[in-house]
Amino acid sequence: MKTEQRRGTVSSAPAATANSAAGGAKIPRQQLWVEEPAGRRRMPDPVRRSAVRAVLIMSLTIIQAMVAFLCTLAGSWLAFPMVLSSVGSTVVATWSVLDVWVTRQVWNQRNGVVSAPSSSARQLRRERRRARRAARDEARIRRRGTESLSRA
């Protein structure tokens, strides 16, 4: 609602008006910067760190492979060591991408996954909670019934 209002309205601050050349009428200015809510939630810090690390490693691997290719075309002595190191860095880049996936899975396991209201897991939890409450209430009623009897 607020973003719709900000998008469609014009700022009413005194600095937001300017005199036009045609008669000195005040022309309202629109805001220069309008913040909109993010479309997706932010990644957790450990996952973001591993993703950044993976992107850097992959970009360096691509650069290294390109240099190896150009050295091979030029017939340089550096071609063979570059090809060998490109193979090694490809393995490391693959490992780093797997690290992102594993880190994401571990974070989801430790901190839980956001479930939608229609989630079956949430429905099962509700049913278990109701069953526990009913069992507690039933046990409480039974206890009260035995306490009220006389011991004569």
Side-chain angles (χ1 to χ4, degrees), residues 18 43 63 90 97:
M43 276 194 292
I63 291 170
T90 302
V97 171

Side-chain angles (χ1 to χ4, degrees), residues 27-42:
I27 300 172
R29 287 190 201 168
Q30 290 184 348
Q31 289 180 339
L32 182 63
W33 185 268
V34 178
E35 286 191 34
E36 295 182 12
R40 299 175 70 184
R41 290 184 38 225
R42 181 176 162 162

Side-chain angles (χ1 to χ4, degrees), residues 54 56-66 68 81-96:
L56 290 175
I57 290 172
M58 292 214 23
S59 62
L60 289 174
T61 301
I62 291 171
I63 291 170
Q64 192 174 14
M66 196 67 195
M82 287 299 288
V83 168
L84 286 180
S85 65
S86 292
V87 170
S89 62
T90 302
V91 171
V92 172
T94 305
W95 187 266
S96 68

Side-chain angles (χ1 to χ4, degrees), residues 7 17 20 35-38 41 45 47 61-62 65 72 77 79 84 91 95-96 103 106-108 111 126-127 135:
R7 225 180 277 151
T17 58
S20 69
E35 286 191 34
E36 295 182 12
R41 290 184 38 225
D45 287 338
V47 178
T61 301
I62 291 171
T72 304
W77 64 270
L84 286 180
V91 171
W95 187 266
S96 68
T103 306
V106 168
W107 193 89
N108 283 339
N111 300 302
R126 276 192 196 128
E127 289 172 6

